[in-house]
């Protein structure tokens, strides 16, 4: 294809230098990956493969310039405008209602009709004819769509546009080109772009025309295991005939898993292969029904072992070129030659950690974000803050931390979330004993995964004594006088509480910053607050709630079966000194004051949270609401949803969530039991249960009664303090955020960033660069785009191995599932409730009808105001002592946590039954 083509610019007018007639046709061998806007994702990848000498069938690409030229006057503009309006009104596929989908489908159909009616203009048809002649007379070709929004690192768009196989003759090719253009507007393609936030107007389509491979066998190959995430396993599916049978799912193919580094087949299964798709003489394809292989004693695979290993080797070459795992399509012709017909990124793999462990061997990383009830990614500055806090912890525990801004040695990030290397825990006998038990009450599913790794020979125990643990725990215990705190809490509880109150006051003073500080000084204070002061709030307070729960366990040990789990739960309801409960009840008090004025209620219930925020900022809310909200935010305005992220607005910055919750409270009927009354009753029930336990202990002996009374007194006093360390940590984060926003104001005024909030898409090093005078707009834009893309991720692993494997996804992990219609998790708060479910992914602006069962991926204290009107709680994350479980017990609402995929397996409005004692959620025959 070295002749000058119709539509090709002359040498003196090449494209990019004022050419009036853009190039319409490119040989695949001329295409590079950087040409995606001109040739689309599929062609760009094929050109890359051909460039490095990989076996790609010859062909040409009709560029996006042809698409734009052909459709420039067909009337697509009104459809594009309507699609933009429809996309703006939808928040993604999960929230798009039936009417929204109908509207998208109708607009897609209009666009397809316009494209097909336009056909292929003469000039473009001439360019296609000229290029097709190079193949020879009536050579069969594949005509394939190649969209500019396709085969991207974050969205593959696999199967969204059409491919036409075994097309013979130029007129048939032109017809296929027109149908490829129209396939940019299929219902599935339009919906997919809308869901992924891609502007329809910016997408164009190129068309690839390649010589057909006369395939004897074909299929797909993933160069990393798409199910487990293992980056060192290639997965191959193969079937006789064209690969369309495998790609479309029409056949049960042969299946191979190859350890690519060892060149060893570790798994193989011969499929029944009852369907074969073949090329027909003269054009087109045919579908043949074949006898099943399942009844044959020794069914024959369609690939030899040599061919499987050659495929895996080829996959490694492709992956090495792209430096990322690839989803490829391949074919083997009658001469045994292997061809690559497609490569695209595997977009479903969870990212690996951003740095490689220094020690050799396999490593295991625990998702600390999920342990904190956080499914969303953290902003770059949020991650920078956590790195400083983690370094502070590590230095106190006598670990070497060369660069505090990079985080401690065990700190890792993946997918903009926090991970910690817990390999040492798995290798330690003491670690295996202690850490999973802690996670049993924090995040039970993570604990189960940990225990599942105990049998992995790569994590066999090598540390058999507690010396190493003691070496790192002892400095923390000594510096913060933990034994003294425990002793004081046990024998002088009132003094212990006064000390906590004094510590809280002193801590707040350490967060203050002089008002006249310069931006550089403010940045230094941010580093001081996060790198030195914040962690001190934890070891000085945490021993007391730990003592409280330990005393509860002691009562269980003393009374045995006379202290069942459900009755022990009663003891920890209505706890004093729980800052999260106090916060929720304070918000309820604001609503109660508003309810005393019917006119105020009427003026608020009919407005959206955004409208209420506008009124609040203008000081035009009803008096009770204005003063009550100001009082609430004055004390709790430092809190937020996903509050461990410095980049998340505090409620004082944006009270939309809080005003939405108040509006929900105001919708409760007058006869509903008030949460503050429920809390008071829970405290009375707890006192009565304590008296019953003491009476049972007295039956054993007077000494047992004294011990049980003392133990349960300490439980009631101190267990509620469980929330205080994080509360104080968030105070520190809020103080640091305030200083960063002041620096952001300076940078925005100097035009080094666009607006003050952009500072949260930088890290501390970036801020120093900006303060030195550099423009960081581009850095902010890249980081913001990556963050918003990561926000779309729904599947978040609890544990990652360094080879990319997700242990929870490995075969056998989910065997023995519960009966149909029942989802199992961990019991969190006893009780039985049947009611409609409300699936909420983000509490900000969420609407929860009183009595509905809240179904959420996870919760942190920012969610808990919703609990006051919820009939029950179901969470994908968490354990018996996670934030959501603790607060659910406080309010006496049935709760089950750690329910896999609850937000996708339960639908809003579905009637479900939550059994908080059994840890089950019934989704069939509920309420019967």
């Amino acid at each position: 294809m070295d002749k000058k083509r119709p539509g090709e610019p002359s040498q003196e007018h090449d494209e990019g230098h004022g050419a009036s007639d853009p190039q319409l046709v490119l040989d695949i061998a001329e295409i590079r990956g950087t040409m995606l806007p001109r040739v689309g994702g599929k062609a760009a990848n094929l050109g890359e493969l051909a460039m490095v000498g990989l076996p790609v069938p010859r062909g040409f690409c009709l560029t996006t310039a042809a698409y734009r030229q052909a459709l420039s006057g067909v009337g697509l503009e009104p459809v594009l405008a309507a699609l933009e309006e429809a996309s703006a009104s939808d928040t993604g596929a999960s929230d798009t209602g039936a009417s929204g989908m109908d509207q998208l489908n109708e607009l897609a159909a209009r666009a397809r009709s316009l494209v097909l009616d336009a056909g292929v203009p003469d000039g473009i048809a001439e360019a296609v004819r000229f290029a097709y002649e190079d193949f020879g007379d009536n050579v069969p070709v594949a005509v394939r769509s190649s969209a500019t929004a396709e085969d991207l690192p974050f969205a593959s768009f696999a199967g969204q546009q059409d491919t036409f196989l075994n097309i013979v003759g130029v007129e048939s090719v032109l017809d296929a080109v027109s149908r490829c253009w129209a396939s940019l507007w299929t219902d599935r393609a339009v919906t997919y772009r809308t869901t992924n936030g891609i502007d329809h107007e910016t997408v164009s389509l190129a068309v690839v025309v390649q010589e057909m491979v006369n395939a004897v066998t074909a299929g797909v190959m993933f160069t990393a295991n798409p199910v487990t995430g293992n980056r060192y396993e290639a997965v191959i599916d193969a079937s006789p005939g064209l690969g369309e049978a495998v790609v479309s799912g029409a056949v049960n193919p042969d299946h191979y898993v190859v350890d690519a580094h060892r060149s060893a087949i570790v798994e193989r299964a011969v499929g029944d292969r009852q369907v074969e798709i073949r090329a027909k003489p003269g054009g087109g394809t045919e579908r043949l029904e074949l006898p099943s292989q399942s009844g044959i004693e020794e069914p024959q695979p369609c690939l030899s072992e040599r061919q499987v290993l050659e495929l895996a080797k080829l996959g490694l070459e492709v992956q090495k070129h792209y430096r990322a795992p690839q989803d490829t399509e391949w074919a083997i012709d009658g001469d045994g030659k292997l061809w690559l017909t497609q490569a695209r990124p595997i977009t479903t793999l969870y990212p690996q950690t951003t740095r490689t462990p220094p020690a050799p061997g396999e490593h295991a990383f625990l998702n600390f974000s999920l342990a904190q009830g956080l499914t969303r990614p953290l902003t770059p500055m949020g991650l920078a803050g956590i790195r400083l806090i983690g370094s502070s912890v590590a230095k106190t525990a006598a670990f070497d931390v060369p660069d505090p801004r990079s985080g401690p040695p065990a700190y890792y990030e993946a997918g903009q979330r926090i991970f910690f290397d817990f390999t040492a825990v798995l290798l330690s006998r003491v670690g295996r004993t202690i850490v999973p038990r802690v996670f049993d009450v924090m995040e039970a599913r993570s604990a189960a995964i940990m225990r599942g790794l105990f049998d992995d020979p790569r994590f066999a125990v090598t540390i058999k004594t507690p010396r190493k643990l003691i070496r790192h725990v002892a400095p923390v215990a000594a510096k913060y006088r933990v034994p003294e705190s425990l002793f004081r809490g046990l024998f002088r509880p009132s003094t212990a509480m006064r000390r906590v109150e004094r510590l809280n006051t002193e801590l707040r003073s350490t967060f203050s910053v002089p008002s006249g500080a310069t931006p550089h000084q403010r940045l230094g204070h941010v580093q001081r607050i996060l790198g030195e002061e914040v962690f001190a709030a934890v070891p000085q307070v945490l021993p007391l709630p730990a003592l409280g729960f330990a005393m509860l366990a002691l009562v269980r040990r003393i009374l045995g079966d006379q202290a069942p789990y459900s009755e022990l739960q009663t003891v920890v309801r209505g706890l004093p000194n729980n800052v999260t409960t106090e916060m929720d009840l304070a918000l309820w008090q604001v609503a109660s004051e508003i309810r005393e004025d019917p006119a105020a209620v009427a003026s608020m219930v009919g407005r959206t949270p955004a409208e209420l925020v506008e009124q609040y900022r203008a000081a035009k809310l009803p008096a009770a609401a204005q003063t009550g909200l100001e009082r609430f935010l004055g004390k709790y305005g430092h809190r937020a949803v996903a509050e461990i992220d410095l980049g998340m607005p505090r409620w004082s910055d944006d009270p939309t969530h809080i005003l939405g919750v108040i509006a929900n409270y105001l919708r409760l009927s007058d006869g509903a039991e008030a949460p503050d009354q429920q809390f008071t009753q829970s405290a009375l029930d707890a006192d009565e249960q304590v008296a019953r336990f003491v009476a049972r202990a007295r039956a054993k002996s007077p000494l047992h009664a004294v011990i049980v009374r003392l133990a349960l007194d300490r439980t009631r006093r101190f267990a509620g303090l469980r929330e205080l360390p994080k509360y104080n940590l968030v105070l520190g984060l809020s103080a640091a955020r305030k200083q960063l926003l002041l620096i952001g104001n300076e940078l925005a005024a100097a035009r080094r960033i666009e607006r003050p909030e952009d500072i949260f898409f930088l890290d501390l090093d970036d801020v120093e660069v900006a303060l030195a005078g550099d423009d960081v707009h581009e850095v902010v834009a890249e980081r913001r785009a990556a963050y918003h893309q990561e926000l779309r991720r729904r599947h978040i692993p609890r544990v990652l191995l360094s080879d990319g494997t997700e242990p929870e996804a490995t075969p056998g992990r989910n065997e023995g599932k519960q009966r149909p219609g029942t989802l199992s998790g961990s019991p969190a708060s006893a009780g039985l409730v049947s009611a409609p479910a409300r699936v909420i992914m983000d509490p900000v602006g969420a609407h929860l009808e009183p009595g509905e069962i809240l179904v959420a991926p996870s919760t942190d204290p920012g969610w808990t105001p919703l609990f006051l009107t919820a009939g029950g709680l179901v969470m994908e994350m968490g354990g018996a002592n996670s934030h959501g479980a603790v607060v659910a017990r406080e309010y006496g609402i049935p709760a089950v946590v750690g329910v896999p995929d609850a937000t996708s397996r339960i639908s809003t409005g579905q009637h479900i039954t939550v059994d908080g004692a059994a840890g089950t959620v019934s989704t069939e025959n509920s309420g019967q």
Side-chain angles (χ1 to χ4, degrees):
M1 295 188 184
D2 53 0
K3 298 176 290 183
K4 185 177 182 296
R5 309 178 184 92
E8 181 179 334
S10 61
Q11 290 181 352
E12 63 269 24
H13 295 291
D14 64 22
E15 191 172 5
H17 291 80
S20 60
D21 189 9
Q23 192 168 353
L24 300 180
V25 173
L26 290 171
D27 192 299
I28 283 178
E30 301 171 349
I31 294 172
R32 300 294 177 262
T34 56
M35 298 166 66
L36 187 143
R38 294 170 61 192
V39 300
K42 189 177 281 90
N45 285 337
L46 288 169
E48 279 286 306
L49 296 174
M51 178 189 70
V52 295
L54 294 172
V56 174
R58 65 179 182 140
F60 65 88
C61 174
L62 186 64
T63 66
T64 55
Y67 171 84
R68 289 192 297 269
Q69 181 178 318
L71 302 179
S72 60
V74 301
L76 271 176
E77 292 78 12
V79 179
L80 289 168
L83 280 169
E84 183 180 357
E85 184 177 341
S87 298
S89 66
D90 291 328
T91 57
S94 60
D95 300 319
T96 303
S99 60
M101 292 299 300
D102 290 344
Q103 183 185 11
L104 287 177
N105 293 345
E106 180 183 343
L107 291 169
R110 284 171 56 191
R112 287 197 303 276
S113 178
L114 289 169
V115 173
L116 288 171
D117 289 346
V120 181
D122 291 342
I124 297 172
E126 182 186 358
V128 172
R129 286 191 179 92
F130 189 84
Y132 181 69
E133 286 175 2
D134 274 0
F135 289 128
D137 293 335
N138 293 329
V139 171
V141 294
V143 182
R144 312 168 75 190
S145 304
S146 182
T148 53
E150 178 180 68
D151 295 353
L152 305 176
F154 62 87
S156 73
F157 284 74
Q160 300 306 314
Q161 281 78 230
D162 289 341
T163 288
F164 301 96
L165 301 176
N166 201 37
I167 303 300
V168 178
V170 70
E171 296 306 319
S172 297
V173 170
L174 290 172
D175 178 66
V177 165
S178 179
R179 288 189 286 162
C180 282
W181 286 344
S183 74
L184 188 64
W185 302 99
T186 61
D187 294 351
R188 62 183 183 271
V190 168
T191 301
Y192 195 91
R193 290 197 296 272
T194 300
T195 302
N196 282 277
I198 293 175
D199 185 351
H200 300 279
E201 192 168 4
T202 64
V203 180
S204 293
L205 193 92
V207 179
V208 176
V209 180
Q210 282 181 287
E211 190 171 351
M212 278 287 294
V213 176
N214 184 19
V216 174
T217 308
V220 299
M221 171 173 56
F222 293 88
T223 66
N225 193 316
V227 176
T228 68
N230 190 322
R231 274 19 180 221
Y232 304 138
E233 287 184 347
V235 177
I236 299 168
D237 285 346
S239 189
L242 300 178
E244 177 66 15
V246 177
V247 174
S248 66
V251 66
N252 182 16
D254 291 358
H255 179 77
Y256 306 88
V257 178
V258 182
D259 184 324
H261 282 190
R262 293 192 296 117
S263 293
I265 300 173
V266 296
E267 183 182 330
R268 74 180 82 205
V270 178
D272 58 25
R273 306 197 311 252
Q274 292 182 270
V275 173
E276 182 177 333
I277 296 177
R278 294 178 183 170
K280 291 168 58 179
T285 60
E286 60 182 348
R287 177 187 175 112
L288 303 177
E289 303 291 335
L290 303 176
S292 172
Q293 297 275 309
S294 59
I296 301 174
E297 187 172 338
E298 290 189 22
Q300 292 301 306
C302 61
L303 291 177
S304 67
E305 182 169 340
R306 178 184 59 80
Q307 288 174 318
V308 171
L309 295 179
E310 284 181 356
L311 267 170
K313 182 180 178 182
L314 181 61
L316 274 181
E317 293 183 50
V318 176
Q319 179 170 290
K320 182 179 179 181
H321 173 70
Y322 283 106
R323 299 182 181 179
Q326 299 290 304
D327 166 8
T328 68
E329 295 178 21
W330 53 270
I332 298 176
D333 65 19
D335 296 326
K337 181 173 175 56
L338 177 58
W339 296 92
L340 281 169
T341 57
Q342 188 158 304
R344 62 169 74 93
I346 305 176
T347 59
T348 56
L349 294 174
Y350 192 79
Q352 291 185 279
T353 55
T354 53
R355 65 184 188 188
T356 303
E362 194 68 60
H363 285 250
F365 305 99
L366 178 73
N367 191 328
F368 187 75
S369 289
L370 289 186
Q372 287 296 306
L374 191 62
T375 57
R376 63 186 294 142
L378 277 75
T379 59
M381 188 61 77
L383 290 168
I386 296 297
R387 290 196 295 270
L388 278 179
I389 295 170
S391 295
S392 174
V393 176
K395 285 191 292 184
T396 306
F399 286 97
D400 183 32
V401 184
D403 178 14
R405 289 189 180 182
S406 296
Y411 176 91
Y412 288 80
E413 293 169 9
Q416 300 171 39
R417 293 167 178 87
I418 309 161
F419 284 80
F420 279 94
D421 186 345
F422 74 110
T423 308
V425 169
L426 297 173
L427 302 180
S428 166
R429 185 172 292 165
V430 175
R432 287 186 174 206
T433 302
I434 297 174
V435 175
R437 291 183 181 178
V438 172
F439 274 83
D440 281 336
V441 295
M442 281 183 61
E443 221 293 299
R445 287 171 62 192
S446 295
I449 298 169
M450 288 183 199
R451 292 188 175 98
L453 292 173
F454 289 174
D455 296 329
D456 190 323
R458 295 173 296 179
F459 300 113
V461 171
T462 59
I463 306 170
K464 299 182 180 180
T465 70
R467 284 198 299 258
K468 190 172 182 179
L469 175 66
I470 293 170
R471 188 164 70 246
H472 293 299
V473 171
V476 180
K479 179 175 181 177
Y480 295 104
R481 303 162 76 175
V482 171
E484 182 182 329
S485 295
L486 292 170
F487 184 87
R488 186 184 297 110
L490 190 59
F491 296 108
R492 300 175 62 192
S494 296
T495 302
M497 283 302 305
R498 286 195 296 272
R499 186 170 184 271
V500 167
E501 292 167 4
R502 186 173 67 255
L503 288 170
N504 291 342
T505 302
E506 293 171 352
L507 186 67
R508 283 159 177 75
S509 68
T510 67
F511 295 156
S512 63
V513 174
S515 58
T518 67
H520 283 96
Q521 289 171 335
R522 293 189 190 283
L523 193 63
H525 283 296
V526 168
Q527 180 134 348
R528 172 186 61 82
I529 291 169
L530 300 179
E532 299 174 19
E533 310 294 352
V534 164
F535 173 60
V538 178
Q540 296 186 80
V541 175
L542 194 58
L544 292 179
L547 174 66
F549 284 107
M551 291 294 98
L552 194 66
L554 175 63
V555 171
R556 170 70 172 169
R557 180 174 289 274
I558 291 172
L559 294 180
D561 293 342
Q562 290 184 294
Y565 177 73
S566 60
E567 293 185 1
L568 288 170
Q569 275 194 333
T570 303
V571 172
V572 291
R573 286 182 175 163
L575 287 170
N577 305 316
N578 185 321
V579 287
T580 300
T581 304
E582 291 168 358
M583 175 188 75
D584 294 344
L585 292 177
L587 189 59
W588 174 259
Q589 180 62 32
V590 173
S592 298
E593 293 168 1
I594 298 171
R595 286 168 69 92
E596 293 177 2
D597 183 351
V601 174
S603 70
M604 293 183 68
V605 167
R607 298 186 181 275
T608 66
E611 291 171 333
L612 293 174
V613 169
E614 188 176 341
Q615 284 192 313
Y616 169 71
R617 288 174 173 159
K620 293 182 179 180
L621 282 176
Q626 189 74 30
T627 58
L629 188 57
E630 288 172 354
R631 182 179 70 244
F632 177 85
L633 293 177
K635 186 170 184 179
Y636 298 107
H638 65 284
R639 306 218 73 166
V641 176
E643 59 193 0
I644 67 169
D645 184 354
L646 274 169
M648 292 299 290
R650 308 293 110 171
W651 289 337
S652 55
D653 300 328
D654 181 3
T656 302
H657 173 49
I658 293 304
L659 280 162
V661 171
I662 290 174
N664 272 346
Y665 290 171
L666 296 178
R667 300 177 72 251
L668 276 175
S669 61
D670 290 335
E673 186 177 0
D676 52 353
Q677 295 173 357
Q678 294 179 30
F679 183 81
T680 300
Q681 184 59 52
S682 293
L684 293 173
D685 293 343
D687 290 340
E688 292 174 1
Q689 187 60 58
V690 168
R692 285 193 288 272
F693 281 146
V694 171
R696 293 170 193 172
R698 189 176 293 112
K700 290 178 175 286
S701 75
L703 179 60
H704 282 97
V706 170
I707 294 173
V708 168
R709 185 184 298 278
L710 180 144
L712 293 180
D713 173 79
R714 302 312 185 259
T715 296
R716 295 285 301 162
R717 284 178 187 262
F718 299 138
L721 292 174
R722 176 208 182 283
E723 299 285 307
L724 186 58
K726 184 175 182 181
Y727 180 88
N728 286 334
L729 182 147
V730 172
L731 268 174
L733 289 171
S734 180
R737 176 183 165 84
K738 180 180 178 181
Q739 299 306 311
L740 288 166
L741 278 172
L742 290 171
I743 299 171
N745 284 330
E746 299 267 357
L747 293 176
R751 297 186 178 180
R752 292 166 201 161
I753 57 178
E754 185 175 344
R755 49 188 180 272
E757 293 78 10
D758 285 349
I759 196 170
F760 298 111
F761 291 92
L762 305 172
D763 61 23
L764 297 175
D765 292 339
D766 299 323
V767 173
E768 288 182 342
V769 168
L771 288 174
D774 282 19
D775 185 308
V776 290
H777 282 83
E778 188 173 333
V779 174
V780 169
E782 290 177 1
R783 300 262 183 85
R784 191 183 288 274
Y787 173 79
H788 284 289
Q789 188 56 48
E790 195 60 38
L791 277 173
R792 297 178 179 275
R793 190 183 299 279
R794 292 293 299 272
H795 171 67
I796 316 296
R798 285 169 168 74
V799 172
L800 272 179
L801 303 187
S802 49
D803 64 7
T805 298
E806 298 179 31
E808 197 172 16
T810 54
R813 171 70 59 180
N814 297 314
E815 289 179 358
K817 290 183 178 178
Q818 66 277 352
R819 60 186 174 84
T822 300
L823 310 179
S824 292
S826 298
S829 180
L832 189 71
V833 61
S834 294
R838 174 75 62 171
V839 179
I840 295 178
M841 304 303 295
D842 184 340
V844 179
H847 176 72
L848 182 71
E849 288 285 344
E852 287 184 324
I853 296 171
L854 171 61
V855 182
S858 63
T859 62
D860 65 8
W863 285 71
T864 57
L866 293 173
F867 289 20
L868 289 177
T869 56
L873 172 68
V874 178
M875 289 181 2
E876 293 182 338
M877 317 299 175
N881 204 24
S882 57
H883 290 285
V886 169
V887 179
R889 287 196 296 271
E890 290 271 5
Y891 300 149
I893 62 173
V896 179
V897 298
V899 181
D901 306 317
T903 59
S904 58
R905 299 170 72 181
I906 298 172
S907 304
T908 292
Q910 183 178 8
H911 203 89
I912 63 174
T913 297
V914 175
D915 188 334
T920 60
V921 181
S922 300
T923 59
E924 291 183 0
N925 301 318
S926 299
Q928 300 300 314

